Amino acid sequence: MTTLPFTRRQFLKTSAVAGAAVTFAQFKPRLFAAEEPPASPSPTPSWVDKPMRWAQLTLVEDDPGKFNLQFWLDYFQRTKSDAVCLSGGGCVAYYPTQIPLHHRSRWLGDRDVLGELVTGCRKLGMVVIARTDPHATYDDMQAAHPDWIAVTADGRPRRHWASPEMWVTCGLGPYNFEFMTGVKKEIMSRYHVDGIFINRWDGSGMCYCEHCVKNFKDASGFELPRTNNPQDPARKAYILWRQQRLFDLWQQWDHAVRQINPDSCVIPNTGGGATSSLDMKKIGELAPTLMADRQARHGLMPPWAIGMNAKEYRAALGMKPIVGIFSVGLEEPERWKDSVQSPAEFQLWVADLVANGMRPWFTKFGGVLHDERWLKPVEDIYRRLAGWEKYLRTERPLARVGVVYSQQTAWFAGNKVEDHINGWYQALIEARIPFELVHDRLLDAAHTSQFKTLILPNIAALSDGQCDQLRAFVKNGGSVIATYETSLCDEWGVRRKDFGLADLFGVGWQGRTEGPMQNSYLRLEHDAVPHHPLLKGLEDAPRIINGVSRLVVEPREKFPPMPLTLIPSYPDLPMEMVYPRVEKTDVAQVFLRESGNGRVVYFPWDIDRTFWEVLCVDHFKLLRNAVEWATNEEQPVSVSGPGVLDVTAWQQTNSLTVHLVNLTNPMMMKGPIRELIPIGEQKVRIRLPDGLKAHKVHLLAAGKAAKFTRDGATLVVTVPSVLDHEIVAIDV
């Protein structure tokens, strides 16, 4: 499908002229076109790469009357924190603001708490940024500017869901563009801080206020959508319009503070993975640094989730400094903000974010402590990290495997993209294969040449241009592994008649999907393809469970016998009827082919999503073996030994590091962890990049030199044990 040469702004403008009767398909904004010019960010402030250990003190309104300011300054010093985020204004001002209707803390009196904190932190040599939160306001603001308040779909102004004496503000209207611009200018003028961090700035769900109704209609020609259907033209237009509105707001705020302090910036609390509502590619272009706000795990969340967040941000920001916010309290729906987590839980969380290239930022809500049990553990963590600092200033990851995540699939195809990518993430962790994440709109050679293999976990929505980039990747010797509906839709989620990558897969879609499949299996064709590398570790298995959904496909070329074939579903009740009606078919359920120096693996079923749901070890082995076959080279790092480890590998200016994060714990898949459980000896093989020679090897957590041997260009290092986090540091 051809993309017309419209920019996002041109699309919105043209739609307004055409009127609401137009269909979205008539206009193809270049939101995802390769020709779209990158954003023009302002110069990077000189301080952004300096901080390695952040602190945040989020004050509550009554803190100015009772909190101990000197205690916090002493604690920042004891933890060797070199940067801090301090509460400034928005919902509550902690300084004597002169802006009308900017609510001062009722306990402020004649104090300037923000000024006192800024002064104290500056004396400690810290980078200082101020925090603002614009998402809620008070009755006087609502009375003076009722049009600044968010409105529900049925036309009612929104009271705050947690503090009903307050009102929810519209994130896309004058409250943010006018009032909060003034707040930021005042803070920067008074305190000359290094930056302003903006929390909850992008609205609190859909708003139907008069400004949103008019601005969206003027821009697109549509009424605000009343459905979440991503194929509704108004919903598609809204997704784009909202993003543009917020990017305009971000740039307005940034320009305003830089006019006062050119070496500053604003840092919106934004971004993330496939389900993030703002385009990570654009965020990566605009942001000089960013804070990943996944503070703790909750529910059925694995401890590697924070490392995944680091990789999601790095896919868009590259090696710009990325900061990982962690809370010392729980992060549950019940919002126990004055709680304290188990120290073992946040110790492992911090270990994984550091191992994956982020810089830690602890956050504490409230200046008066109700429970002090977190203070010493965080101090110990930060002091340890300060001693390791030179080995944590990473320059590039050494991983040769990249897993693609797709915002456009999440926005427009409506697929459960996270279930598929989580399956791959868990499998690669278990396989101890170092890997990175790759943004689907950054598939050009500049962003993918470091990888030998790209994994596409049900990346349904891909443009013709993105498909061409993947073909070029394979033509240049790269390998691709794809699952299920990958490339079956264009970039707008419109289903194609066949895969956009049908030629790469060597198969075509027959227009049918089966699922959910009940009681279906896969036959392992050991006789037809003996000792096939995809079946390594499954030599004694004649058949294994199938997935839940599959596409009906036909080969477009002649394939040799494939190692997996379909055993169709048969009844699972009554028990007397549970027997296969068809014992054997020739319906292949994986397709492997070589293309020059590259290799392609395509699974026409949801192996990754099913693995995440069921965690079947047979599916893990298939996924691991597919990566090994496709990559067809020795990994830069391999680790053998007991337990579950998150393994990452990095290069610094004068060193290489391999991080081993011990995830082995009965509470791994459902926290919180009660205690850290050490695992035994690990053999680490590190393939040195060309031209580098090892001079000395350290085990940083153990605090001693490591025993190692050389095997050509490979070092073999023995790590006697890992409690939470060990770093093999190699001076080169």
Side-chain angles (χ1 to χ4, degrees), residues 391-654:
Y391 294 108
L392 301 180
R393 290 192 170 274
T394 54
E395 293 187 349
R396 70 178 185 96
L398 300 179
R400 295 282 284 158
V401 174
V403 182
V404 177
Y405 74 92
S406 175
Q407 289 187 278
Q408 63 198 39
T409 297
W411 295 338
F412 300 127
N415 294 19
K416 292 183 177 179
V417 292
E418 286 196 310
D419 289 348
H420 294 265
I421 196 170
N422 283 345
W424 275 107
Y425 207 105
Q426 175 69 23
L428 291 166
I429 290 284
E430 289 190 44
R432 302 179 171 191
I433 296 174
F435 66 101
E436 288 291 303
L437 295 186
V438 179
H439 194 275
D440 63 342
R441 293 184 56 224
L442 295 170
L443 297 175
D444 56 290
H447 291 88
T448 61
S449 60
Q450 74 188 79
F451 302 114
K452 180 62 171 67
T453 298
L454 291 179
I455 298 170
L456 307 172
N458 193 33
I459 307 300
L462 287 170
S463 69
D464 291 344
Q466 288 168 312
C467 290
D468 287 341
Q469 289 176 323
L470 290 166
R471 291 188 189 93
F473 179 77
V474 174
K475 183 178 180 180
N476 291 328
S479 296
V480 165
I481 305 172
T483 66
Y484 198 40
E485 294 184 325
T486 293
S487 79
L488 202 53
C489 301
D490 70 11
E491 66 269 39
W492 302 107
V494 177
R495 178 151 289 193
R496 295 182 168 106
K497 293 182 179 179
D498 201 353
F499 301 108
L501 293 172
D503 57 327
L504 206 61
F505 300 161
V507 302
W509 182 47
Q510 298 303 292
R512 292 191 295 122
T513 302
E514 288 188 5
M517 298 183 295
Q518 198 82 2
N519 201 35
S520 177
Y521 298 85
L522 297 169
R523 178 183 172 90
L524 278 56
E525 300 289 352
H526 295 296
D527 293 337
V529 284
H531 311 296
H532 196 284
L534 194 70
L535 305 183
K536 185 177 72 172
L538 295 167
E539 292 82 4
D540 58 348
R543 70 176 194 168
I544 62 175
I545 66 172
N546 200 351
V548 177
S549 300
R550 78 178 190 97
L551 300 180
V552 179
V553 300
E554 283 289 332
R556 293 174 48 157
E557 60 186 63
K558 185 172 179 57
F559 281 88
M562 289 290 107
L564 297 178
T565 56
L566 176 69
I567 299 176
S569 297
Y570 52 90
D572 63 306
L573 279 175
M575 298 308 295
E576 291 80 359
M577 303 304 291
V578 182
Y579 59 89
R581 304 312 194 258
V582 179
E583 294 275 5
K584 178 177 172 59
T585 71
D586 60 357
V587 180
Q589 289 302 282
V590 67
F591 297 88
L592 304 95
R593 60 196 298 269
E594 298 191 37
S595 178
N597 293 324
R599 295 181 171 187
V600 178
V601 181
Y602 172 61
F603 292 95
W605 52 290
D606 59 346
I607 178 174
D608 37 19
R609 191 213 61 79
T610 304
F611 176 62
W612 181 238
E613 178 184 355
V614 181
L615 292 178
C616 173
V617 67
D618 297 335
H619 290 167
F620 158 68
K621 291 176 181 178
L622 290 177
L623 294 171
R624 176 201 63 196
N625 295 343
V627 174
E628 291 180 352
W629 181 83
T631 306
N632 195 30
E633 67 178 27
E634 183 184 359
Q635 292 292 341
V637 172
S638 62
V639 182
S640 59
V644 182
L645 289 170
D646 190 353
V647 177
T648 61
W650 299 89
Q651 184 169 347
Q652 295 77 235
T653 301
N654 297 306

Side-chain angles (χ1 to χ4, degrees), residues 212-225:
C212 287
V213 169
K214 182 179 186 303
N215 290 339
F216 180 64
K217 182 67 176 290
D218 289 348
S220 71
F222 293 107
E223 302 296 335
L224 285 167

Side-chain angles (χ1 to χ4, degrees), residues 675-694:
E675 62 174 329
L676 299 171
I677 300 172
I679 56 172
E681 184 176 279
Q682 308 291 318
K683 293 287 187 182
V684 183
R685 292 178 58 87
I686 305 119
R687 181 160 51 90
L688 297 179
D690 291 343
L692 294 185
K693 294 183 179 180

Side-chain angles (χ1 to χ4, degrees), residues 236-506:
K236 284 188 175 182
Y238 179 80
I239 289 171
L240 303 185
W241 172 78
R242 176 181 175 275
Q243 290 192 54
Q244 188 60 59
R245 190 81 175 148
L246 289 170
F247 283 129
D248 288 346
L249 177 62
W250 176 349
Q251 290 174 290
Q252 175 177 308
W253 283 342
D254 195 66
H255 178 71
V257 302
R258 286 176 185 265
Q259 280 191 314
I260 301 165
N261 177 7
D263 199 35
S264 69
C265 63
V266 298
I267 307 169
N269 189 359
T270 189
T275 58
S276 176
S277 64
L278 284 185
D279 176 19
M280 283 296 297
K281 178 176 179 291
K282 182 79 173 283
I283 289 172
E285 293 164 357
L286 289 176
T289 184
L290 217 58
M291 286 69 191
D293 193 6
R294 184 169 284 172
Q295 296 184 17
R297 61 179 178 150
H298 60 86
L300 300 177
M301 181 182 287
W304 50 251
I306 185 62
M308 181 178 185
N309 212 204
K311 288 178 165 120
E312 289 166 341
Y313 279 73
R314 188 161 54 254
L317 273 76
M319 293 310 296
K320 294 178 182 178
I322 304 166
V323 181
I325 302 176
F326 73 96
S327 175
V328 299
L330 277 70
E331 189 71 7
E332 297 290 348
E334 293 77 13
R335 304 277 294 173
W336 292 297
K337 302 315 295 181
D338 284 327
S339 63
V340 172
Q341 291 194 74
S342 154
E345 174 67 25
F346 62 71
Q347 184 173 341
L348 188 60
W349 197 248
V350 174
D352 206 61
L353 75 85
V354 169
N356 282 277
M358 284 202 288
R359 302 165 186 203
W361 160 318
F362 78 80
T363 182
K364 180 64 187 77
F365 293 90
V368 176
L369 299 181
H370 302 283
D371 189 336
E372 298 186 358
R373 287 177 292 172
W374 64 275
L375 291 170
K376 183 64 164 56
V378 168
E379 180 180 342
D380 291 344
I381 291 169
Y382 268 37
R383 293 178 73 87
R384 178 166 84 160
L385 294 176
W388 299 349
E389 180 171 329
K390 77 171 185 175
Y391 294 108
L392 301 180
R393 290 192 170 274
T394 54
E395 293 187 349
R396 70 178 185 96
L398 300 179
R400 295 282 284 158
V401 174
V403 182
V404 177
Y405 74 92
S406 175
Q407 289 187 278
Q408 63 198 39
T409 297
W411 295 338
F412 300 127
N415 294 19
K416 292 183 177 179
V417 292
E418 286 196 310
D419 289 348
H420 294 265
I421 196 170
N422 283 345
W424 275 107
Y425 207 105
Q426 175 69 23
L428 291 166
I429 290 284
E430 289 190 44
R432 302 179 171 191
I433 296 174
F435 66 101
E436 288 291 303
L437 295 186
V438 179
H439 194 275
D440 63 342
R441 293 184 56 224
L442 295 170
L443 297 175
D444 56 290
H447 291 88
T448 61
S449 60
Q450 74 188 79
F451 302 114
K452 180 62 171 67
T453 298
L454 291 179
I455 298 170
L456 307 172
N458 193 33
I459 307 300
L462 287 170
S463 69
D464 291 344
Q466 288 168 312
C467 290
D468 287 341
Q469 289 176 323
L470 290 166
R471 291 188 189 93
F473 179 77
V474 174
K475 183 178 180 180
N476 291 328
S479 296
V480 165
I481 305 172
T483 66
Y484 198 40
E485 294 184 325
T486 293
S487 79
L488 202 53
C489 301
D490 70 11
E491 66 269 39
W492 302 107
V494 177
R495 178 151 289 193
R496 295 182 168 106
K497 293 182 179 179
D498 201 353
F499 301 108
L501 293 172
D503 57 327
L504 206 61
F505 300 161

